[in-house]
Structure formats: C-alpha cells, structure tokens
Amino acid sequence: VQLQASGGGLVQPGGSLRLSCAASGLTLDYYAIGWFRQAPGKEREWVSYISSSAGRPYYAESVKGRFTISRDKLKNTVYLQMNSLKPDDTAVYYCAADGSYHASTSWYKDKAEYPYWGQGTLVTVSS
C-alpha cells in the first residue's frame, strides 16, 4: 500500500486549497481514509475521515463547514477541499488508510489505528 499526498502550498487567510491522496495497492471500497495534520510543536490531530463501503464523511469540529472530504474510486484518490482557511490551519497534512474491522465507532480519530501513511503535504495560511 502506498499513499501520495499532494496539493499543499501557501494561501492567504480566507483562501482555498484542495489536497489529494492518491492510493495504490488498495481499493477504496475496502479501505477507509483519514486526514490528519500536525502543526509545529503540536501533536498530530485528526481532521477528517471517509468510510470504506458507504463513503460516509466525518469532520473534526474545528473544520466542520469549511472542509469537505470526497473520493473518486476510479482514480483511487481521496480529496480534502479546504475553504475559508485560517492561520490555525497551518500544518503538515497527512492521509492515512486502514482496511481492518474496528469495534469502536470513533476509531478513525486515533492515528494509531492507521497502518498506512502518506508522506505529508505542507499547508501554510498566511498573509
């Protein structure tokens, strides 16, 4: 399994970016994808998640209403559309994948539950 995150860059507050996570060696029908971010000096935190079979999206409260996760199963790619960006959104963004069963209904918020990670893409929100 390989994940390739891209799309980061420098954007002004209020601007938008779309991150991509291109997956190989897995099928999105059977693997859930999560987006996490890590700001300098802070822990890596969960941002968003899309479930495997149903493609149901979930968001952290800090990004709800501003970020949208989606997927293109033909391209085997997951996207994170980020609008109304704030300086607090500045971080390295990582996508991660997991295909196993989880009994907990909130497992996707735990970075330890994801065995596969992309390399990260830097998002800087600054004027």
Side-chain angles (χ1 to χ4, degrees):
V1 173
Q2 288 191 325
L3 302 172
Q4 180 75 34
S6 62
L10 173 64
V11 63
Q12 293 187 342
S16 299
L17 280 175
R18 188 179 79 159
L19 306 184
S20 299
C21 177
S24 59
L26 62 81
T27 304
L28 293 180
D29 278 332
Y30 302 108
Y31 279 77
I33 302 294
W35 282 99
F36 289 77
R37 67 186 181 187
Q38 188 166 17
K42 294 188 177 181
E43 292 284 321
R44 191 171 299 188
E45 65 173 359
W46 171 71
V47 174
S48 184
Y49 156 84
I50 189 163
S51 66
S52 51
S53 57
R56 188 168 297 169
Y58 297 83
Y59 303 97
E61 284 299 321
S62 58
V63 306
K64 197 173 290 184
R66 301 188 297 123
F67 290 11
T68 303
I69 192 169
S70 62
R71 66 183 183 179
D72 184 331
K73 290 195 285 185
L74 291 179
K75 295 182 178 180
N76 229 31
T77 299
V78 173
Y79 303 98
L80 186 69
Q81 177 67 43
M82 306 186 297
N83 298 329
S84 302
L85 282 162
K86 306 174 182 179
D88 283 349
D89 296 318
T90 295
V92 177
Y93 284 71
Y94 299 89
C95 58
D98 178 67
S100 56
Y101 169 77
H102 298 273
S104 167
T105 55
S106 60
W107 69 268
Y108 50 85
K109 299 179 182 180
D110 185 354
K111 57 185 178 292
E113 296 287 358
Y114 294 83
Y116 307 106
W117 289 83
Q119 84 288 3
T121 185
L122 176 62
V123 173
T124 304
V125 184
S126 175
S127 54

